[in-house]
Amino acid sequence: MKLRGGEWVMPMWARQRTYAWRGWDEPDLVNTATVAFHRNHLDATGVQECPHYAARWELITDPHWITREITVEVAGNGWGRTLRLVRRRNGQWRDKVTTSGTQPSGLASPGIAPGTDLSAALDCDLDQCPLTCTMPIRRLGLLEGAVPSTNLIVARVELPSLRVTASEQHYASIDAHCVTHGVDAGADVVVGVDARAVVTDYPQVARRVGN
């Protein structure tokens, strides 16, 4: 994936598809993602837009659908911040952040929060972005068999702050079109997905539109 003219450009040989979602209770919150699917990993770029900010992101994964890095740029009214979050081969996560303009009061500092342990995390989870559910669903094989509830630690990237925390999540199979997902102490929800394990319907979060 290359940066060309300020835009991330996918290799021409990759199998690409573009998806869009609207917020379940916030129709002005729109996510789009262009995804290049490979045999056992994916690369993607996307945008999250709402009346208060816009975020652009790039996601690169390694074989077995493990996050290698995610880069996020957020722009608000007179302010901006960026995060580059990288998972090294030894399992250590590292961040690099920048800020510009007058930062909103009360917004958490960007980057890995102090005291956060991500040593067990294989995945990132971008706030309100359904695409980042795809990697654990594919890696766990949830659409291919009866997989019981499996606990995960996930590197959660909050938007718009770009603060990174460790989130306790779990996934389980239902059938070839649905999985269950639970986040921290919240109730489990039934998440609809397509054959590529891309979310079609995530209650209280987002619905896919246009495809």
Side-chain angles (χ1 to χ4, degrees):
M1 195 178 303
K2 298 180 179 179
L3 186 65
R4 183 184 304 162
E7 298 291 334
W8 284 303
V9 180
M10 296 283 188
M12 292 299 294
W13 47 263
R15 295 182 178 180
Q16 297 180 37
R17 290 201 61 178
T18 297
Y19 304 90
W21 300 264
R22 285 194 179 274
W24 183 281
D25 294 320
E26 300 178 70
D28 291 336
L29 177 66
V30 178
N31 280 277
T32 58
T34 298
V35 188
F37 290 97
H38 309 276
R39 185 176 65 85
N40 61 0
H41 70 285
L42 63 81
D43 302 314
T45 62
V47 177
Q48 182 177 118
E49 295 180 296
C50 71
H52 309 295
Y53 66 85
R56 298 173 62 234
W57 53 267
E58 176 192 14
L59 171 66
I60 301 173
T61 71
D62 282 329
H64 308 295
W65 314 97
I66 296 171
T67 296
R68 181 193 305 174
E69 67 177 84
I70 184 168
T71 302
V72 191
E73 303 174 358
V74 177
N77 184 14
W79 63 275
R81 49 179 61 186
T82 67
L83 166 72
R84 181 171 182 249
L85 182 66
V86 177
R87 183 185 183 274
R88 296 179 175 174
R89 292 188 182 276
N90 63 5
Q92 294 182 331
W93 292 75
R94 293 290 182 264
D95 63 350
K96 182 177 181 180
V97 301
T98 66
T99 61
S100 62
T102 303
Q103 298 293 304
S105 61
L107 199 61
S109 297
I112 299 173
T116 297
D117 182 5
L118 296 174
S119 59
L122 300 178
D123 306 291
C124 68
D125 180 13
L126 185 60
D127 195 17
Q128 301 293 315
C129 178
L131 183 73
T132 46
C133 292
T134 298
M135 294 93 73
I137 294 172
R138 294 293 291 265
R139 188 176 62 257
L140 296 172
L142 299 184
L143 306 184
E144 301 162 9
V147 180
S149 183
T150 303
N151 296 323
L152 304 173
I153 298 296
V154 174
R156 183 169 180 81
V157 181
E158 299 175 0
L159 285 173
S161 71
L162 298 183
R163 181 175 69 167
V164 180
T165 60
S167 175
E168 297 182 6
Q169 304 189 10
H170 52 271
Y171 287 86
S173 297
I174 296 180
D175 56 32
H177 308 287
C178 297
V179 302
T180 60
H181 184 210
V183 178
D184 298 322
D188 289 2
V189 295
V190 176
V191 180
V193 297
D194 64 16
R196 288 187 170 91
V198 178
V199 169
T200 57
D201 187 60
Y202 194 124
Q204 309 307 315
V205 176
R207 294 186 178 96
R208 209 160 87 191
V209 295
N211 50 30

